[in-house]
Amino acid sequence: GAGVSQSPSNKVTEKGKDVELRCDPISGHTALYWYRQSLGQGLEFLIYFQGNSAPDKSGLPSDRFSAERTGGSVSTLTIQRTQQEDSAVYLCASSLGASPATDTQYFGPGTRLTVL
Amino acid sequence: AQSVTQLGSHVSVSEGALVLLRCNYSSSVPPYLFWYVQYPNQGLQLLLKYTTGATLVKGINGFEAEFKKSETSFHLTKPSAHMSDAAEYFCAVTRSNDYKLSFGAGTTVTVRA
């Protein structure tokens, strides 16, 4: 079946602009995660959605970052007033449930964001 | 809090040689441990995981890892490297009541013909 898809695959933007990154999880997966992969910080957790519960936003680096998940499926990560340090690969993952013992996180190919 | 240290950011092996990637973790509670592989321009793919039970875990593509509590380690091995094993490998940790993965910095593997 189809895996996690993300769009766009690459995004180049100018400093100060807003960007939206999209994630389509695997159908039927209730849990969705955003991670950021950057040279200086490695792979770091950003935000987690599980069903209709309030999201865990504890990994968002600043209030310029926000995310939503509509209808329990597609998610959008929005970065406002982008800065050069936001340049990174943004990875989305989904899992059937939220138990790490049984619910594997499946990752999308990522969106490479470059802020000029 | 959990954390992971991967020793060696780059590993170069000859085709047919042993692949050994080192991972040490710190966790105040029993950990769940994972190895993921990332091929160029692709997302992360789960190789194997340890949750409970048998400490030697076998994964895909001939990889295996052994959980050693006394050494707080979860090293990844493959007896004979193949050119297709060239990729970046990430060790990750979480705990039973958490869903967030904490990743190591990654180890890039190159395979020499």
Side-chain angles (χ1 to χ4, degrees):
Chain A
V4 177
S5 61
Q6 294 185 244
S7 60
S9 55
N10 282 283
K11 176 72 176 180
V12 180
T13 190
E14 295 179 347
K15 178 181 173 181
K17 301 283 189 182
D18 297 352
V19 295
E20 285 189 351
L21 312 180
R22 176 187 169 105
C23 171
D24 282 88
I26 294 172
S27 178
H29 280 194
T30 63
L32 187 147
Y33 317 75
W34 284 96
Y35 292 86
R36 180 169 70 172
Q37 186 175 21
S38 57
L39 283 177
Q41 302 297 324
L43 257 163
E44 53 182 344
F45 166 82
L46 296 178
I47 189 169
Y48 161 79
F49 297 89
Q50 170 59 29
N52 295 320
S53 302
D56 176 356
K57 304 178 182 180
S58 60
L60 294 179
S62 79
D63 58 8
R64 296 186 294 105
F65 287 72
S66 63
E68 63 178 19
R69 188 178 185 191
T70 54
S73 181
V74 172
S75 177
T76 302
L77 177 69
T78 301
I79 308 173
Q80 295 179 311
R81 306 181 302 282
T82 53
Q83 303 294 312
Q84 289 184 332
E85 61 262 28
D86 299 334
S87 296
V89 176
Y90 290 82
L91 294 169
C92 177
S94 71
S95 60
L96 193 59
S99 169
T102 56
D103 298 318
T104 298
Q105 292 185 29
Y106 293 88
F107 284 78
T111 293
R112 182 175 298 277
L113 175 66
T114 303
V115 182
L116 301 178
Chain B
Q2 299 87 232
S3 68
V4 169
T5 302
Q6 291 184 239
L7 297 176
S9 58
H10 290 86
V11 169
S12 180
V13 298
S14 298
E15 192 173 19
L18 171 72
V19 179
L20 169 60
L21 305 182
R22 300 180 187 275
C23 172
N24 288 90
Y25 69 90
S26 66
S27 177
S28 56
V29 297
Y32 287 179
L33 295 157
F34 306 79
W35 275 100
Y36 279 84
V37 60
Q38 186 177 32
Y39 299 103
N41 300 315
Q42 295 186 27
L44 278 72
Q45 179 182 5
L46 181 68
L47 276 177
L48 49 79
K49 65 181 179 183
Y50 168 80
T51 54
T52 58
T55 56
L56 181 63
V57 180
K58 295 187 183 298
I60 62 172
N61 301 340
F63 284 93
E64 63 181 36
E66 186 170 11
F67 169 63
K68 291 187 177 181
K69 183 178 178 181
S70 61
E71 299 177 7
T72 61
S73 69
F74 190 57
H75 301 332
L76 181 71
T77 60
K78 181 174 180 176
S80 177
H82 191 273
M83 299 299 287
S84 61
D85 294 326
E88 189 163 18
Y89 293 78
F90 294 91
C91 183
V93 64
T94 189
R95 56 178 188 253
S96 63
N97 61 347
D98 198 359
Y99 40 77
K100 290 177 283 191
L101 296 174
S102 296
F103 287 89
T107 299
T108 299
V109 172
T110 58
V111 182
R112 305 185 304 271

